[in-house]
Amino acid sequence: MSLGLGVGVVLSSFGLRLLRLADKDLWWDEGWSIWLARHGLSFITLRTASDEHPPLHYWFLHFWNSLVGESEFAVRFSSVIFAVLTVALINRLVSRWVNRRAGILASFLLATARFHIWWSQEIKMYSLAVFLALLSIYLFTKVWKRANLWLWVVYVVATLAALYTSYLTFFLLLGENLAIFILVLLRHGPLQRLKPWLGAQFSLAFFYLPWLYIYYTHALSYKQEQASLMSFSEILRLYATILPLGVSTYIQNYTLPTVFFLVVAGSGLLFSLISRRRWEREAGVVAVVCLLALPLGIFLLSQPNRAIYQPKILERYFIIFVPLYSFLLAQGLRAFWRWQRGLGIVIALAVLMSSGRTLDLYYKDRHRTYDFPALASFVLAHAQPGDAVVLNPDHEWPVFDYFLEDGPPRYSMPYAVKASPQQVAHYLGPLTAKYPSLWLVTTPHAAVSDPWGEVRKWLVQYYSPKLSLEYNQARLELFSRDVSRVPLAVSSAKVEERRLKDLTGITLMGFDGMPRQARAGDTIYLNSYWQGKGTQSKGYKVGLRVTDDFGRIVAGRAPQPLTTDGESLGPPGTPLELQRRLTLGPNVSAGTYRLQLVVEGAEEGATIPVTNIRVEGSSPTPPARLIPPREVRADLGDKVRLLGYKLSTYKIKPGGQLSLTLYWRTLKEMDTSYTVFVHLVDKENQIRAQRDMIPLEGRYATLDWIKGEIIRDRYLIYIPDKAEAGVWELKVGMYNAASGERLPVVDKSGQSIPDGVITLTMVQVVP
């Protein structure tokens, strides 16, 4: 029975860590890991010495990627492996410390821990470091009980591997040595074990000396950023919140659940320390010493010190001992079950509900926003010899490099330097002399580094704009001096020789990248291949939409011209690739839908079926949740109506945050992506706090809104810590980010509201 439950927990942990594994954007650190692993072992060693953790994880990735490839799923899967092994190992360890049922409970709590699942799905060293740290603790508890040379050797190897994976595992050594000191004081274990223990520590130091030499000969010359200081109490609060809940932002909103889990874990510690079983008491000592050594050490290292590495305080630094925290939680549940069975059931249900809620929020947040894969595939399909790509700015260069590794030469504008005509000339001047065509990728970070669009201004001086495409928050443009350049032209080898639809001026030759399944909120891309018939191809527009069984449109975008200038597709027979996208709205329910191309011409049109698409994991929003608690009914242009809003509070202290939900109704489909602004304005009409964003956290542009659709759009507005007491007005509206022009506003009585600003209510900031 116990074996079956243990295997079931391990398999469940495997499934939870595979779930939506590839559904998250590749981010900077992951792109960096893949980029670094492409190099030789000596380069990896020296590069990590300058500003990274030790190289073992990157050495492993070097060989892993060469075997399985570099797809996001394949590389992240390496972290999943070590995470699942950790779940199995905590079962084994706690079974040894306490009993099999306690081992299964601890492994279940780790298997469902959001914090551990989070870093089990990232291409970083933390999953490996957690496994090796736990393996070291497991071997530590064995060698302390019995003398065995080979066991000591295995302990040294495992601990050394942990040290060569992450600097954070130094706290593992600190915790183990402190635990030994306490156990000796308590006379737990024979004193003759100290001699081999000290020998093991000297062995670890000896075999770590080569890395320390490499580190100090490289890292000391590396200029580090000043770390942001946190007080020890702030670190402890973050630590206490993230271990059970896996959340690291707005932790002040999680005070009650944090206190609840502290009580449960504290009860587990007490239950262990007063146990009659020596191993259980020793386990409590090891767990609490390691768990407390980590935040204390991180706090001390974060203090200004020019002689050693000074890390920023990041939530992932607290991951190392999360299995030991699961052990204390399991002990806490056992304690309440033994002390008062009814109370134990209630607390266990509360832990389960909390885990389920945090995991639900975690998986809902795993979605793509940048769409770099689609952007990169378009560049790779249309780039020609003599092209180059410029990333503006270089803030995301590892991700950029990952998707365009086999593409044209890549360059970037520095994020750390504010773009000016002189700076742009310095970086792009040599490129304009060398390349007849340049692709420009502009990311949201350009709003900071290039707020006035200096890069684009420079390119327009030397090239003709040929193409501009939006990819959610990124933009792709092609600039060329070649007047005959057809921006959408592709090799004829990419076009399947089959005619799917023959119209008067154009012929649809085929598709690729056809999606088969999606979920509400996903962005769908479709590549279609066309051939024009000379001047007859002028005036055609192509769009994409999704319909249900009754032909009702549930998602779509208005048809756009085949070419950016509305002219013909080039010489007759020229093959071209057209990429169209749409985003499924948040209210699209689960089911099977039809994906269609919509073609509009001067004198004809057509609806072309593409494929059936299965939408999974979503359910219709209850009608009651689409009714705003506070009515507004203001029209923005003739495009969208603000039905009302919901506000979390009307009184707030500095350092707090407001939660505002806006309720929109689409009056007509839009061909522009509008940005929503939420401003808190004081009596001098100065903005004191704000949030400007594409709706639904950038995931649902107004381009995708369907006529008649109601959208619940939530915004979190942070109140500055040093905000003065007073009464502020809460104002909202929409504007075109490209031009800065706001949509005009008319209230429900038909009166025009100045400046395109809707005043919702007053918010009082109190001391």
Side-chain angles (χ1 to χ4, degrees), residues 119-152:
W119 290 101
S120 302
Q121 296 189 315
E122 304 285 352
I123 308 170
K124 289 291 288 180
M125 80 292 295
Y126 297 105
S127 180
L128 174 60
V130 171
F131 169 70
L132 291 173
L134 188 64
L135 180 60
S136 174
I137 292 172
Y138 174 74
L139 294 168
F140 158 72
T141 59
K142 297 193 72 172
V143 297
W144 185 243
K145 286 299 178 183
R146 58 177 179 169
N148 182 307
L149 177 61
W150 289 109
L151 208 55
W152 282 107

Side-chain angles (χ1 to χ4, degrees), residues 226-231 235 295-305 308-313:
Q226 179 70 26
S228 56
L229 296 180
M230 293 177 65
S231 68
I235 290 176
L296 177 60
I298 290 176
F299 169 71
L300 294 176
L301 280 179
S302 69
Q303 303 309 298
N305 189 327
I308 60 174
Y309 175 67
Q310 181 190 351
K312 297 178 180 179
I313 304 299

Side-chain angles (χ1 to χ4, degrees), residues 273-300:
L273 294 179
I274 65 175
S275 172
R276 295 179 181 179
R277 301 178 72 249
R278 172 177 288 189
W279 277 35
E280 201 165 341
R281 295 197 301 272
E282 292 178 357
V285 170
V286 172
V288 71
V289 168
C290 289
L291 284 167
L292 291 180
L294 182 61
L296 177 60
I298 290 176
F299 169 71
L300 294 176

Side-chain angles (χ1 to χ4, degrees), residues 48-80:
T48 53
S50 66
D51 67 340
E52 253 290 350
H53 286 271
L56 183 61
H57 175 253
Y58 301 102
W59 290 344
F60 169 78
L61 276 186
H62 175 80
F63 295 106
W64 172 267
N65 293 356
S66 66
L67 289 174
V68 303
E70 291 185 348
S71 72
E72 293 159 277
F73 183 91
V75 186
R76 285 174 178 161
F77 190 78
S78 64
S79 296
V80 171

Side-chain angles (χ1 to χ4, degrees), residues 464-523:
S464 297
K466 292 288 185 177
L467 181 71
S468 180
L469 297 173
E470 297 289 336
Y471 289 84
N472 282 341
Q473 300 179 58
R475 184 171 70 250
L476 174 67
E477 296 175 276
L478 173 63
F479 298 87
S480 179
R481 286 193 291 265
D482 183 358
V483 294
S484 63
R485 177 82 179 255
V486 181
L488 299 176
V490 295
S491 167
S492 59
K494 284 187 66 75
V495 181
E496 298 180 18
E497 290 300 327
R498 55 195 178 105
R499 295 172 178 266
L500 298 181
K501 190 70 176 180
D502 200 352
L503 301 174
T504 302
I506 54 175
T507 299
L508 174 62
M509 305 301 294
F511 312 106
D512 69 16
M514 291 186 292
R516 302 296 183 185
Q517 64 181 35
R519 68 183 182 104
D522 280 356
T523 298

